[in-house]
Amino acid sequence: MSEGRIDLVLPSDADPLVVQDRPAAPAPPPLDVILSGKELTAVRALGAVDLDGLLRIAPRRYVVPGPLARIADITAGEEISAVVTVRDVRDRPMRARRGSLLLVTVEDSSGPLTLTFFLARGHLVEYHRRFLRPGVRILVSGTAGEHRGEPQIVHPDYVVLDDGPTIDEAMRPVPVYPLRGKTTQKTMRAAFATALEHADVLTPVVPETVLRSQGLPPLAEALRLLHAPREEADAQRGLAHLRFEEAFVLQAIFAQRRAADDLTPAPALTAAGPLQIRLRERLPFTLTAGQEQVTEQIAERIARDRPTSVLLEGDVGSGKTVLALLAMLRAVDSGHQAALLAPTEVLAEQHHRTITELLGELGRAGRLDGVPEATSVRLLTGSQRTADRRRTLLDVVSGEAGLVIGTHALLTEGVEFSSLGLVVIDEQHRFGVDHRRALRRRGADGSSPHVIVMTATPIPRSAALAIVGDLDVLTLTEMPARRAGTESFLVPERLPAWEDRMWRRVAEEVRTGRQAFVVCPRIIDGEAADGAGQGAGGAGGEGAGGQTEGADPPRGVEQTLERLAADPRLAGLRLGMLHGRMSTEDKQEAMRAMSGGELDVLVATTVIEVGVDVPNASAMVICDAERFGISQLHQLRGRVGRGEHPGIVFLATTAPPESEAAEHLRAIAATRDGFELARLDLERRGVGDLVGTRQSGLHATLRHLDMLADTDVVDAARQQAARVVEHDPDLDAHPGLARAVADRLRDADPDVERT
């Protein structure tokens, strides 16, 4: 075989690979070699560091000349183009404002047309006069108008045809690029035109046969269609290549991760009892048909001898925790341990309390009130007392603790498991991929535990395949009949009657024997969003929400508690508070008092966002609701209406009733479906960093692919990437794809695990 690059090609009609011998292509020239200094500054401002990156920046839009028309046929208001000759050019000072009025009379065989320019600076007059000289032939485009009964175009676009482009070339769409600083479109277009001359030396990312199977043009042709289209459809064909390429790189990363998992042993969790059977007997309810189906699907997957990665998604209150507990008990029944990772101490403690109560005597191994087959449930958090932490670590490493529940503390080096068979991660959006895969290394004897990640922020399945493509998505779509559910209402606090009725309604709920939550975006009034109170997950934590323009300063828990204590409408009610700066003991006591019915109203930050279960809570007021995200509001309102009493949620806002923020809140209040809200959230905030740790910001991750609109593209890329990686796991024969994968991972997070 001769020297040069070897491309591994997947033929379209068969699976066996054909190895083709091709000469190595020349390296793309550096940008500072081919571009002028001004052009280089312009493209660097867009973030382009090399030719690959530059040519993958798509125009924001295209200026498309209107259809060719004769001047005599022009109708006011139409977008038109006309081939005309300059007859006369005149300018004079404007009467009402500074600057000059430039009037250019042009004509074709059917009659005259006036081109009018309002120019604030004198040099602009000279600029246009340089091109618009009597006798010059031009193509003029713009919106036709009328002045004193004569046709006119104000500030038209024009191209000089004499010794220049042909009419066909001048009628092509003109790209409009994003600009930074004082860069002009002329400079940016010149930079892209120069770069485009070198498109043929770029190394393709997507294999040629894959492109053919999708009906997509090769890379160099796609870039020419994108930056120099003959018609609008060309630009769309060029963009389709980049859209598929983006999906293909992501899916190649996920396929590599799945391939790596397939080479790693995992404990086969096959036992069907006894703990699982005993728990079902203890449950005060019967699983729904949908829950039973998902339970069987999980059991089938974790029974394999290779590590399974499952995303269990379902709306707030759909019963994910019980299904996860059944899976964890399957691990214990099979002779292994299971760990549950929660994003906050409050949620970890809530899970520990809930699971301990659900298990009863099944979780009291070694105690007189435990059953012979019982296991032990241990809690591990960063703020535990040293003695408690040491005892928990010993039980974990010895295997005495079958179930371990904790926060990020489970990821620290000092935590060693005897035989970890299953990891459950609650609220996947609070953890990055590296967190999830770090737990993969906690298995014994080189094995890797199975992983289930749960989220109550559901997303459409097609988007999930792209966002978490290395996970097998299982969805709970039913809601248990035992849940009463909630109703939500927008309360404009600038209307005193509405605000008054809200608090009186909360008092009514409490005085009938029920409880209420009041949620604030801050710990202290007016505190900055990035204050010390910010919880895990950044925007999802206690510092959530930014400053809304025109709104009052954000309210804090401490001052709100004082105001409510002095409010005669709530006289006699037992009030408490909960936020992230409180000590562990105080947080535990606040939650114990709320769960035990010793508090009527708990004023809290978003530490109660997930996992908190107080079935008697039926009312919630979310202060400054416009400062919270869609998913966050849905999570919060899921804390009420969890028992037999229906819940009522007030989205209180000081935003003006006609404002965009208020309209946004009305849409949320009117929608109960978490999947629909998640779709809205995905459109509004983006899908986050798909392969790294960041969990928001679509444009930081994707330039061309739309996860909601391009579902067919994602599905096709997933299938094709799986085939390529199956035959070439390390992408040795696909250098362009290998480089794109490495760049994508590096851009996501320099510390993210490479597989």
Side-chain angles (χ1 to χ4, degrees):
M1 192 165 290
S2 61
E3 293 184 1
R5 178 166 59 85
I6 298 177
D7 280 346
L8 213 56
V9 180
L10 284 174
S12 57
D13 56 349
D15 280 340
L17 296 177
V18 176
V19 179
Q20 294 185 350
D21 192 15
R22 296 181 180 177
L31 294 180
D32 58 1
V33 171
I34 63 173
L35 300 182
S36 70
K38 184 187 293 187
E39 293 168 350
L40 186 63
T41 300
V43 301
R44 288 272 167 82
L46 296 182
V49 296
D50 57 21
L51 193 66
D52 267 294
L54 175 59
L55 288 176
R56 284 176 169 81
I57 297 174
R60 295 175 57 188
R61 59 187 177 87
Y62 297 87
V63 175
V64 182
L68 283 173
R70 296 188 325 139
I71 293 176
D73 298 331
I74 289 177
T75 301
E78 287 184 336
E79 289 288 330
I80 63 96
S81 297
V83 177
V84 296
T85 301
V86 177
R87 188 176 73 189
D88 181 53
V89 182
R90 293 170 291 129
D91 68 88
R92 62 172 173 79
M94 287 189 280
R95 296 189 181 92
R97 53 178 165 162
R98 188 175 177 180
S100 299
L101 181 65
L102 179 67
L103 300 171
V104 181
T105 304
V106 298
E107 62 184 359
D108 65 7
S109 60
S110 68
L113 169 69
T114 300
L115 310 181
T116 303
F117 299 85
F118 298 94
L119 305 174
R121 300 180 184 276
H123 75 275
L124 294 176
V125 175
E126 297 305 316
Y127 172 83
H128 286 292
R129 276 186 170 275
R130 192 183 323 150
F131 299 104
L132 300 174
R133 301 185 307 274
V136 170
R137 187 164 165 264
I138 65 172
L139 173 76
V140 63
S141 302
T143 304
E146 217 175 68
H147 180 64
R148 295 179 179 176
E150 298 296 327
Q152 171 186 252
I153 300 180
V154 177
H155 284 289
D157 294 314
Y158 62 87
V159 177
V160 177
L161 299 176
D162 295 344
D163 300 322
T166 64
I167 294 175
D168 178 64
E169 291 171 337
M171 288 293 292
R172 293 176 185 176
V174 179
V176 177
Y177 294 100
L179 300 177
R180 302 288 184 272
K182 297 181 179 179
T183 302
T184 64
Q185 283 294 335
K186 181 179 179 182
T187 299
M188 195 65 79
R189 286 168 183 158
F192 275 92
T194 300
L196 199 57
E197 296 173 4
H198 304 275
D200 288 314
V201 302
L202 296 180
T203 302
V205 170
V206 184
E208 184 180 333
T209 50
V210 174
L211 291 175
R212 284 203 302 268
S213 73
Q214 303 304 308
L216 295 171
L219 176 61
E221 181 185 345
L223 295 175
R224 281 189 281 269
L225 291 171
L226 183 69
H227 295 289
R230 291 177 175 273
E231 54 188 39
E232 289 182 271
D234 288 346
Q236 291 304 313
R237 288 188 62 220
L239 191 59
H241 177 112
L242 297 186
R243 191 178 293 122
F244 183 86
E245 178 187 275
E246 204 161 50
F248 189 75
V249 171
L250 287 173
Q251 296 303 327
I253 293 172
F254 295 142
Q256 283 187 313
R257 288 177 176 164
R258 292 193 298 269
D261 288 344
D262 287 342
L263 298 176
T264 306
L269 310 179
T270 57
L275 288 176
Q276 299 160 80
I277 297 172
R278 296 289 297 272
L279 175 63
R280 283 175 174 268
E281 294 171 351
R282 283 184 51 83
L283 291 176
F285 52 83
T286 302
L287 298 185
T288 67
Q291 289 172 329
E292 289 286 7
Q293 181 182 16
V294 172
T295 298
E296 293 173 5
Q297 292 172 331
I298 292 174
E300 184 273 326
R301 284 159 175 78
I302 63 178
R304 301 168 184 169
D305 61 1
R306 292 290 181 267
T308 295
S309 295
V310 171
L311 171 65
L312 175 58
E313 66 169 3
D315 209 343
V316 174
S318 59
K320 297 179 298 297
T321 302
V322 171
L323 302 198
L325 179 56
L326 285 169
M328 294 169 73
L329 291 181
R330 180 170 285 261
V332 176
D333 285 338
S334 302
H336 300 280
Q337 295 167 290
L340 191 156
L341 179 63
T344 65
E345 289 193 359
V346 169
L347 181 53
E349 291 157 3
Q350 172 75 31
H351 276 311
H352 181 259
R353 185 164 48 250
T354 300
I355 288 175
T356 300
E357 291 173 357
L358 284 172
L359 290 177
E361 68 273 13
L362 303 180
R364 302 172 188 152
R367 292 171 46 176
L368 292 177
D369 56 350
V371 296
E373 61 268 32
T375 187
S376 294
V377 186
R378 294 290 183 266
L379 176 67
L380 184 66
T381 65
S383 62
Q384 273 182 314
R385 293 190 180 94
T386 302
D388 292 339
R389 180 179 176 83
R390 185 179 298 117
R391 188 180 308 113
T392 295
L393 291 175
L394 287 173
D395 289 345
V396 172
V397 73
S398 68
E400 181 179 333
L403 303 180
V404 185
I405 300 164
T407 59
H408 290 78
L410 288 174
L411 301 172
T412 58
E413 291 298 327
V415 181
E416 295 183 16
F417 290 85
S418 172
S419 180
L420 184 59
L422 174 67
V423 174
V424 176
I425 301 177
D426 195 13
E427 290 312 309
Q428 154 69 12
H429 69 284
R430 299 290 192 89
F431 297 97
V433 174
D434 56 340
H435 293 133
R436 185 202 321 156
R437 302 191 71 82
L439 286 165
R440 285 280 197 210
R441 299 188 287 271
R442 299 303 173 98
D445 302 323
S447 67
S448 179
H450 302 279
V451 174
I452 298 174
V453 294
M454 302 192 299
T455 179
T457 308
I459 52 179
R461 179 178 176 83
S462 56
L465 290 176
I467 297 169
V468 284
D470 52 344
L471 300 179
D472 189 1
V473 182
L474 302 179
T475 302
L476 282 168
T477 55
E478 290 180 286
M479 293 297 289
R482 63 185 182 279
R483 301 250 174 179
T486 64
E487 280 192 288
S488 302
F489 298 92
L490 174 67
V491 178
E493 292 185 88
R494 295 175 187 263
L495 303 177
W498 289 58
E499 190 264 354
D500 178 66
R501 179 56 187 145
M502 175 180 72
W503 290 114
R504 292 187 184 280
R505 185 72 177 83
V506 170
E508 290 169 8
E509 285 292 309
V510 172
R511 292 190 172 109
T512 59
R514 296 190 273 277
Q515 294 165 281
F517 290 104
V518 176
V519 182
C520 302
R522 304 287 189 270
I523 296 173
I524 300 172
D525 275 2
E527 189 173 39
D530 59 353
Q534 187 162 334
E542 296 185 356
Q547 178 69 37
T548 303
E549 186 176 354
D552 296 337
R555 279 168 281 189
V557 169
E558 296 181 357
Q559 289 79 9
T560 298
L561 180 64
E562 294 174 2
R563 287 189 286 267
L564 295 181
D567 192 324
R569 295 169 295 193
L570 305 181
L573 302 190
R574 298 166 297 173
L575 310 179
M577 73 174 177
L578 177 66
H579 60 71
R581 290 187 197 150
M582 296 167 59
S583 68
T584 299
E585 293 77 9
D586 288 344
K587 285 188 287 188
Q588 290 174 341
E589 175 57 26
M591 279 310 306
R592 187 202 62 75
M594 188 66 176
S595 299
E598 298 173 18
L599 289 177
D600 297 317
V601 179
L602 183 66
V603 185
T605 58
T606 54
V607 293
I608 68 161
E609 178 184 348
V610 289
V612 173
D613 189 11
V614 183
N616 192 46
S618 63
M620 174 178 284
V621 174
I622 303 177
C623 301
D624 304 319
E626 72 279 2
R627 297 179 183 275
F628 298 90
I630 295 175
S631 297
Q632 208 169 28
L633 290 172
H634 189 55
Q635 290 273 15
L636 286 168
R637 67 182 177 182
R639 300 309 104 203
V640 298
R642 300 174 69 86
E644 59 180 313
H645 307 297
I648 185 169
V649 176
F650 299 105
L651 305 179
T653 178
T654 58
E658 308 80 18
S659 66
E660 183 180 346
E663 287 297 324
H664 182 63
L665 291 173
R666 285 191 189 91
I668 296 171
T671 307
R672 296 187 186 185
D673 186 345
F675 285 86
E676 179 59 30
L677 287 172
R679 176 182 286 274
L680 291 175
D681 200 25
L682 196 61
E683 292 173 346
R684 186 181 184 214
R685 291 193 308 121
V687 299
D689 192 330
L690 308 186
V691 296
T693 58
R694 292 171 294 177
Q695 297 298 323
S696 66
L698 177 63
H699 298 295
T701 294
L702 299 175
R703 282 182 170 172
H704 312 295
L705 191 66
D706 184 325
M707 290 305 177
L708 295 177
D710 298 327
T711 55
D712 292 344
V713 175
V714 172
D715 288 341
R718 185 178 176 86
Q719 296 176 28
Q720 295 293 338
R723 291 184 68 203
V724 170
V725 172
E726 178 185 359
H727 293 287
D728 184 14
D730 295 324
L731 306 179
D732 293 330
H734 298 86
L737 178 58
R739 177 190 168 188
V741 165
D743 288 346
R744 185 63 193 81
L745 288 171
R746 184 178 61 251
D747 291 343
D749 187 334
D751 299 319
V752 75
E753 178 188 354
R754 270 49 166 198
T755 57

